[in-house]
PDB file of all heavy atoms in Angstrom:
ATOM      1  N   LYS A 777      23.084   7.505 -12.237  1.00  0.00           N
ATOM      2  CA  LYS A 777      23.896   6.399 -12.741  1.00  0.00           C
ATOM      3  C   LYS A 777      23.052   5.146 -12.899  1.00  0.00           C
ATOM      4  O   LYS A 777      23.156   4.421 -13.901  1.00  0.00           O
ATOM      5  CB  LYS A 777      25.060   6.145 -11.774  1.00  0.00           C
ATOM      6  CG  LYS A 777      25.953   4.978 -12.172  1.00  0.00           C
ATOM      7  CD  LYS A 777      27.039   4.780 -11.129  1.00  0.00           C
ATOM      8  CE  LYS A 777      27.902   3.563 -11.469  1.00  0.00           C
ATOM      9  NZ  LYS A 777      28.937   3.346 -10.407  1.00  0.00           N
ATOM     10  N   SER A 778      22.225   4.839 -11.902  1.00  0.00           N
ATOM     11  CA  SER A 778      21.356   3.662 -11.949  1.00  0.00           C
ATOM     12  C   SER A 778      20.113   3.942 -11.122  1.00  0.00           C
ATOM     13  O   SER A 778      20.154   4.744 -10.187  1.00  0.00           O
ATOM     14  CB  SER A 778      22.067   2.412 -11.424  1.00  0.00           C
ATOM     15  OG  SER A 778      22.282   2.509 -10.015  1.00  0.00           O
ATOM     16  N   VAL A 779      19.022   3.252 -11.472  1.00  0.00           N
ATOM     17  CA  VAL A 779      17.766   3.393 -10.730  1.00  0.00           C
ATOM     18  C   VAL A 779      17.159   2.017 -10.524  1.00  0.00           C
ATOM     19  O   VAL A 779      16.759   1.354 -11.487  1.00  0.00           O
ATOM     20  CB  VAL A 779      16.747   4.299 -11.457  1.00  0.00           C
ATOM     21  CG1 VAL A 779      15.500   4.464 -10.593  1.00  0.00           C
ATOM     22  CG2 VAL A 779      17.352   5.652 -11.798  1.00  0.00           C
ATOM     23  N   VAL A 780      17.114   1.577  -9.274  1.00  0.00           N
ATOM     24  CA  VAL A 780      16.447   0.327  -8.911  1.00  0.00           C
ATOM     25  C   VAL A 780      15.102   0.682  -8.284  1.00  0.00           C
ATOM     26  O   VAL A 780      15.030   1.530  -7.395  1.00  0.00           O
ATOM     27  CB  VAL A 780      17.293  -0.494  -7.911  1.00  0.00           C
ATOM     28  CG1 VAL A 780      16.506  -1.691  -7.374  1.00  0.00           C
ATOM     29  CG2 VAL A 780      18.579  -0.966  -8.582  1.00  0.00           C
ATOM     30  N   ILE A 781      14.030   0.048  -8.754  1.00  0.00           N
ATOM     31  CA  ILE A 781      12.689   0.287  -8.218  1.00  0.00           C
ATOM     32  C   ILE A 781      12.474  -0.610  -7.013  1.00  0.00           C
ATOM     33  O   ILE A 781      12.690  -1.815  -7.073  1.00  0.00           O
ATOM     34  CB  ILE A 781      11.625   0.000  -9.287  1.00  0.00           C
ATOM     35  CG1 ILE A 781      11.832   0.909 -10.503  1.00  0.00           C
ATOM     36  CG2 ILE A 781      10.222   0.183  -8.713  1.00  0.00           C
ATOM     37  CD1 ILE A 781      10.997   0.508 -11.699  1.00  0.00           C
ATOM     38  N   CYS A 782      12.053  -0.021  -5.917  1.00  0.00           N
ATOM     39  CA  CYS A 782      11.805  -0.783  -4.686  1.00  0.00           C
ATOM     40  C   CYS A 782      10.357  -0.553  -4.256  1.00  0.00           C
ATOM     41  O   CYS A 782       9.934   0.589  -4.075  1.00  0.00           O
ATOM     42  CB  CYS A 782      12.762  -0.327  -3.580  1.00  0.00           C
ATOM     43  SG  CYS A 782      12.573  -1.229  -2.026  1.00  0.00           S
ATOM     44  N   CYS A 783       9.599  -1.637  -4.107  1.00  0.00           N
ATOM     45  CA  CYS A 783       8.196  -1.522  -3.723  1.00  0.00           C
ATOM     46  C   CYS A 783       7.861  -2.567  -2.671  1.00  0.00           C
ATOM     47  O   CYS A 783       8.566  -3.567  -2.531  1.00  0.00           O
ATOM     48  CB  CYS A 783       7.284  -1.689  -4.936  1.00  0.00           C
ATOM     49  SG  CYS A 783       7.412  -3.310  -5.727  1.00  0.00           S
ATOM     50  N   PHE A 784       6.768  -2.328  -1.944  1.00  0.00           N
ATOM     51  CA  PHE A 784       6.314  -3.338  -0.994  1.00  0.00           C
ATOM     52  C   PHE A 784       5.679  -4.511  -1.721  1.00  0.00           C
ATOM     53  O   PHE A 784       5.965  -5.673  -1.430  1.00  0.00           O
ATOM     54  CB  PHE A 784       5.314  -2.761   0.006  1.00  0.00           C
ATOM     55  CG  PHE A 784       4.584  -3.822   0.773  1.00  0.00           C
ATOM     56  CD1 PHE A 784       5.266  -4.658   1.655  1.00  0.00           C
ATOM     57  CD2 PHE A 784       3.227  -4.027   0.589  1.00  0.00           C
ATOM     58  CE1 PHE A 784       4.605  -5.667   2.344  1.00  0.00           C
ATOM     59  CE2 PHE A 784       2.555  -5.032   1.272  1.00  0.00           C
ATOM     60  CZ  PHE A 784       3.248  -5.850   2.154  1.00  0.00           C
ATOM     61  N   SER A 785       4.809  -4.226  -2.700  1.00  0.00           N
ATOM     62  CA  SER A 785       4.093  -5.304  -3.381  1.00  0.00           C
ATOM     63  C   SER A 785       4.080  -5.087  -4.883  1.00  0.00           C
ATOM     64  O   SER A 785       3.914  -3.963  -5.358  1.00  0.00           O
ATOM     65  CB  SER A 785       2.667  -5.404  -2.846  1.00  0.00           C
ATOM     66  OG  SER A 785       2.081  -6.635  -3.183  1.00  0.00           O
ATOM     67  N   ARG A 786       4.242  -6.170  -5.620  1.00  0.00           N
ATOM     68  CA  ARG A 786       4.308  -6.123  -7.074  1.00  0.00           C
ATOM     69  C   ARG A 786       3.207  -7.005  -7.664  1.00  0.00           C
ATOM     70  O   ARG A 786       3.066  -8.165  -7.287  1.00  0.00           O
ATOM     71  CB  ARG A 786       5.674  -6.607  -7.549  1.00  0.00           C
ATOM     72  CG  ARG A 786       5.894  -6.540  -9.056  1.00  0.00           C
ATOM     73  CD  ARG A 786       7.282  -7.065  -9.392  1.00  0.00           C
ATOM     74  NE  ARG A 786       7.558  -6.943 -10.821  1.00  0.00           N
ATOM     75  CZ  ARG A 786       8.650  -7.412 -11.415  1.00  0.00           C
ATOM     76  NH1 ARG A 786       9.582  -8.023 -10.681  1.00  0.00           N
ATOM     77  NH2 ARG A 786       8.823  -7.276 -12.713  1.00  0.00           N
ATOM     78  N   VAL A 787       2.435  -6.430  -8.579  1.00  0.00           N
ATOM     79  CA  VAL A 787       1.348  -7.179  -9.207  1.00  0.00           C
ATOM     80  C   VAL A 787       1.921  -8.028 -10.336  1.00  0.00           C
ATOM     81  O   VAL A 787       2.340  -7.511 -11.372  1.00  0.00           O
ATOM     82  CB  VAL A 787       0.265  -6.227  -9.757  1.00  0.00           C
ATOM     83  CG1 VAL A 787      -0.841  -7.024 -10.450  1.00  0.00           C
ATOM     84  CG2 VAL A 787      -0.326  -5.406  -8.621  1.00  0.00           C
ATOM     85  N   LEU A 788       1.953  -9.335 -10.111  1.00  0.00           N
ATOM     86  CA  LEU A 788       2.403 -10.307 -11.110  1.00  0.00           C
ATOM     87  C   LEU A 788       1.494 -11.527 -10.989  1.00  0.00           C
ATOM     88  O   LEU A 788       1.873 -12.534 -10.382  1.00  0.00           O
ATOM     89  CB  LEU A 788       3.864 -10.708 -10.876  1.00  0.00           C
ATOM     90  CG  LEU A 788       4.960  -9.731 -11.282  1.00  0.00           C
ATOM     91  CD1 LEU A 788       6.332 -10.277 -10.915  1.00  0.00           C
ATOM     92  CD2 LEU A 788       4.902  -9.443 -12.786  1.00  0.00           C
ATOM     93  N   ASP A 789       0.315 -11.436 -11.558  1.00  0.00           N
ATOM     94  CA  ASP A 789      -0.648 -12.515 -11.406  1.00  0.00           C
ATOM     95  C   ASP A 789      -0.104 -13.852 -11.893  1.00  0.00           C
ATOM     96  O   ASP A 789      -0.383 -14.900 -11.316  1.00  0.00           O
ATOM     97  CB  ASP A 789      -1.941 -12.182 -12.168  1.00  0.00           C
ATOM     98  CG  ASP A 789      -2.706 -11.036 -11.521  1.00  0.00           C
ATOM     99  OD1 ASP A 789      -2.376 -10.695 -10.375  1.00  0.00           O
ATOM    100  OD2 ASP A 789      -3.612 -10.490 -12.160  1.00  0.00           O
ATOM    101  N   GLU A 790       0.685 -13.819 -12.978  1.00  0.00           N
ATOM    102  CA  GLU A 790       1.177 -15.073 -13.532  1.00  0.00           C
ATOM    103  C   GLU A 790       2.191 -15.757 -12.624  1.00  0.00           C
ATOM    104  O   GLU A 790       2.481 -16.942 -12.773  1.00  0.00           O
ATOM    105  CB  GLU A 790       1.800 -14.830 -14.920  1.00  0.00           C
ATOM    106  CG  GLU A 790       3.148 -14.102 -14.902  1.00  0.00           C
ATOM    107  CD  GLU A 790       3.017 -12.591 -14.809  1.00  0.00           C
ATOM    108  OE1 GLU A 790       1.910 -12.096 -14.528  1.00  0.00           O
ATOM    109  OE2 GLU A 790       4.037 -11.910 -15.011  1.00  0.00           O
ATOM    110  N   ALA A 791       2.749 -15.011 -11.674  1.00  0.00           N
ATOM    111  CA  ALA A 791       3.732 -15.593 -10.757  1.00  0.00           C
ATOM    112  C   ALA A 791       3.074 -16.263  -9.558  1.00  0.00           C
ATOM    113  O   ALA A 791       3.739 -16.894  -8.754  1.00  0.00           O
ATOM    114  CB  ALA A 791       4.700 -14.524 -10.271  1.00  0.00           C
ATOM    115  N   LEU A 792       1.779 -16.114  -9.430  1.00  0.00           N
ATOM    116  CA  LEU A 792       1.042 -16.715  -8.327  1.00  0.00           C
ATOM    117  C   LEU A 792       0.268 -17.921  -8.851  1.00  0.00           C
ATOM    118  O   LEU A 792      -0.668 -17.782  -9.636  1.00  0.00           O
ATOM    119  CB  LEU A 792       0.076 -15.689  -7.720  1.00  0.00           C
ATOM    120  CG  LEU A 792       0.778 -14.469  -7.111  1.00  0.00           C
ATOM    121  CD1 LEU A 792      -0.233 -13.389  -6.804  1.00  0.00           C
ATOM    122  CD2 LEU A 792       1.527 -14.862  -5.855  1.00  0.00           C
ATOM    123  N   VAL A 793       0.662 -19.098  -8.435  1.00  0.00           N
ATOM    124  CA  VAL A 793       0.056 -20.327  -8.932  1.00  0.00           C
ATOM    125  C   VAL A 793      -1.383 -20.447  -8.470  1.00  0.00           C
ATOM    126  O   VAL A 793      -2.262 -20.853  -9.201  1.00  0.00           O
ATOM    127  CB  VAL A 793       0.872 -21.554  -8.468  1.00  0.00           C
ATOM    128  CG1 VAL A 793       0.224 -22.841  -8.957  1.00  0.00           C
ATOM    129  CG2 VAL A 793       2.299 -21.451  -8.959  1.00  0.00           C
ATOM    130  N   SER A 794      -1.643 -20.085  -7.224  1.00  0.00           N
ATOM    131  CA  SER A 794      -2.998 -20.137  -6.693  1.00  0.00           C
ATOM    132  C   SER A 794      -3.291 -18.829  -5.983  1.00  0.00           C
ATOM    133  O   SER A 794      -2.486 -17.912  -6.003  1.00  0.00           O
ATOM    134  CB  SER A 794      -3.142 -21.319  -5.722  1.00  0.00           C
ATOM    135  OG  SER A 794      -2.249 -21.177  -4.656  1.00  0.00           O
ATOM    136  N   ALA A 795      -4.423 -18.735  -5.390  1.00  0.00           N
ATOM    137  CA  ALA A 795      -4.893 -17.537  -4.671  1.00  0.00           C
ATOM    138  C   ALA A 795      -5.569 -16.575  -5.632  1.00  0.00           C
ATOM    139  O   ALA A 795      -4.998 -16.179  -6.636  1.00  0.00           O
ATOM    140  CB  ALA A 795      -3.772 -16.816  -3.926  1.00  0.00           C
ATOM    141  N   LYS A 796      -6.765 -16.227  -5.332  1.00  0.00           N
ATOM    142  CA  LYS A 796      -7.548 -15.308  -6.143  1.00  0.00           C
ATOM    143  C   LYS A 796      -7.031 -13.895  -5.928  1.00  0.00           C
ATOM    144  O   LYS A 796      -6.930 -13.423  -4.821  1.00  0.00           O
ATOM    145  CB  LYS A 796      -9.019 -15.388  -5.738  1.00  0.00           C
ATOM    146  CG  LYS A 796      -9.943 -14.536  -6.602  1.00  0.00           C
ATOM    147  CD  LYS A 796     -11.371 -14.723  -6.165  1.00  0.00           C
ATOM    148  CE  LYS A 796     -12.313 -13.890  -7.007  1.00  0.00           C
ATOM    149  NZ  LYS A 796     -13.704 -14.049  -6.581  1.00  0.00           N
ATOM    150  N   GLN A 797      -6.699 -13.221  -7.022  1.00  0.00           N
ATOM    151  CA  GLN A 797      -6.093 -11.890  -6.946  1.00  0.00           C
ATOM    152  C   GLN A 797      -7.106 -10.800  -7.195  1.00  0.00           C
ATOM    153  O   GLN A 797      -8.076 -10.980  -7.934  1.00  0.00           O
ATOM    154  CB  GLN A 797      -4.957 -11.762  -7.973  1.00  0.00           C
ATOM    155  CG  GLN A 797      -3.847 -12.762  -7.742  1.00  0.00           C
ATOM    156  CD  GLN A 797      -3.257 -12.604  -6.372  1.00  0.00           C
ATOM    157  OE1 GLN A 797      -2.761 -11.549  -6.036  1.00  0.00           O
ATOM    158  NE2 GLN A 797      -3.325 -13.623  -5.579  1.00  0.00           N
ATOM    159  N   GLN A 798      -6.872  -9.645  -6.579  1.00  0.00           N
ATOM    160  CA  GLN A 798      -7.673  -8.456  -6.822  1.00  0.00           C
ATOM    161  C   GLN A 798      -6.736  -7.312  -7.153  1.00  0.00           C
ATOM    162  O   GLN A 798      -5.699  -7.157  -6.534  1.00  0.00           O
ATOM    163  CB  GLN A 798      -8.506  -8.066  -5.588  1.00  0.00           C
ATOM    164  CG  GLN A 798      -9.461  -9.155  -5.150  1.00  0.00           C
ATOM    165  CD  GLN A 798     -10.273  -8.690  -3.952  1.00  0.00           C
ATOM    166  OE1 GLN A 798     -10.753  -7.585  -3.900  1.00  0.00           O
ATOM    167  NE2 GLN A 798     -10.418  -9.558  -2.987  1.00  0.00           N
ATOM    168  N   LYS A 799      -7.102  -6.517  -8.144  1.00  0.00           N
ATOM    169  CA  LYS A 799      -6.241  -5.415  -8.567  1.00  0.00           C
ATOM    170  C   LYS A 799      -6.300  -4.287  -7.559  1.00  0.00           C
ATOM    171  O   LYS A 799      -7.351  -4.007  -6.994  1.00  0.00           O
ATOM    172  CB  LYS A 799      -6.703  -4.886  -9.931  1.00  0.00           C
ATOM    173  CG  LYS A 799      -6.534  -5.899 -11.063  1.00  0.00           C
ATOM    174  CD  LYS A 799      -5.087  -6.164 -11.351  1.00  0.00           C
ATOM    175  CE  LYS A 799      -4.944  -7.108 -12.552  1.00  0.00           C
ATOM    176  NZ  LYS A 799      -3.547  -7.451 -12.803  1.00  0.00           N
ATOM    177  N   PRO A 800      -5.168  -3.603  -7.318  1.00  0.00           N
ATOM    178  CA  PRO A 800      -5.165  -2.500  -6.361  1.00  0.00           C
ATOM    179  C   PRO A 800      -5.773  -1.245  -6.944  1.00  0.00           C
ATOM    180  O   PRO A 800      -5.765  -1.050  -8.146  1.00  0.00           O
ATOM    181  CB  PRO A 800      -3.669  -2.302  -6.083  1.00  0.00           C
ATOM    182  CG  PRO A 800      -3.014  -2.710  -7.360  1.00  0.00           C
ATOM    183  CD  PRO A 800      -3.844  -3.850  -7.897  1.00  0.00           C
TER     184      PRO A 800
END
């Protein structure tokens, strides 16, 4: 009927104003 995705961490670089990101 429906599928909600649930994760511990989501890669959204544009949502992080600061902090240097590294890809998993």
Side-chain angles (χ1 to χ4, degrees):
K777 178 182 177 182
S778 69
V779 183
V780 171
I781 300 169
C782 181
C783 62
F784 166 65
S785 197
R786 183 181 183 185
V787 178
L788 284 177
D789 291 346
E790 72 277 12
L792 297 168
V793 179
S794 60
K796 184 178 180 181
Q797 299 301 301
Q798 301 181 44
K799 294 292 184 184

